[in-house]
């Protein structure tokens, strides 16, 4: 819904996996399809150590269940500015996302 409202701004939507061990590059296209991502939307993964460094640098909260391997994390949307820094952290909601992107 937010992406449809931001057609004029043309934001790039990046979904960065929190679990690069399971979300390997070969699975990304299927994940994008499952989430109905289109246009300038991409799902990113890569070498697990590199992904972990990026997630840690951005202070993305996540906890792995050592027994099952599953990850727990809050459902948050990060709006990244052109400088690569987190500009806004939002709990979601199309109106809030649109307002944040337009405020950049």
């Amino acid at each position: 819904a937010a992406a449809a409202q931001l057609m004029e701004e043309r934001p790039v939507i990046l979904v960065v996996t929190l679990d690069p061990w399971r979300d390997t590059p070969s699975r990304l296209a299927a994940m994008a399809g499952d989430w109905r991502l289109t246009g300038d939307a991409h799902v990113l993964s890569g070498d697990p150590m590199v992904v972990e460094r990026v997630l840690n640098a951005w202070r993305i909260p996540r906890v792995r269940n050592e027994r099952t391997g599953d990850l727990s994390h809050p459902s948050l949307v990060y709006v990244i500015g052109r400088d690569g820094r987190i500009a806004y952290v939002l709990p979601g909601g199309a109106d809030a996302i649109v307002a944040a992107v337009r405020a950049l």
Side-chain angles (χ1 to χ4, degrees):
Q5 294 179 49
L6 291 168
M7 292 299 282
E8 192 171 303
E9 289 84 355
R10 298 193 48 139
V12 175
I13 299 168
L14 302 176
V15 177
V16 179
T17 181
L18 301 182
D19 194 354
W21 290 272
R22 293 182 184 176
D23 299 336
T24 60
S26 64
R27 292 193 59 226
L28 302 184
M31 292 169 63
D34 290 346
W35 294 334
R36 298 184 184 137
L37 299 177
T38 61
D40 285 335
H42 310 277
V43 182
L44 304 177
S45 187
D47 177 271
M49 298 314 294
V50 173
V51 174
E52 283 291 305
R53 277 197 303 271
V54 170
L55 297 174
N56 289 338
W58 280 346
R59 296 185 181 115
I60 306 296
R62 64 213 182 276
V63 176
R64 184 175 301 279
N65 180 316
E66 295 301 322
R67 188 174 54 80
T68 65
D70 293 338
L71 279 177
S72 297
H73 58 85
S75 294
L76 298 171
V77 173
Y78 293 81
V79 178
I80 310 297
R82 293 185 189 277
D83 62 359
R85 296 176 189 240
I86 296 171
Y88 301 98
V89 179
L90 308 165
D95 291 340
I97 295 167
V98 168
V101 169
R102 289 185 174 155
L104 290 178

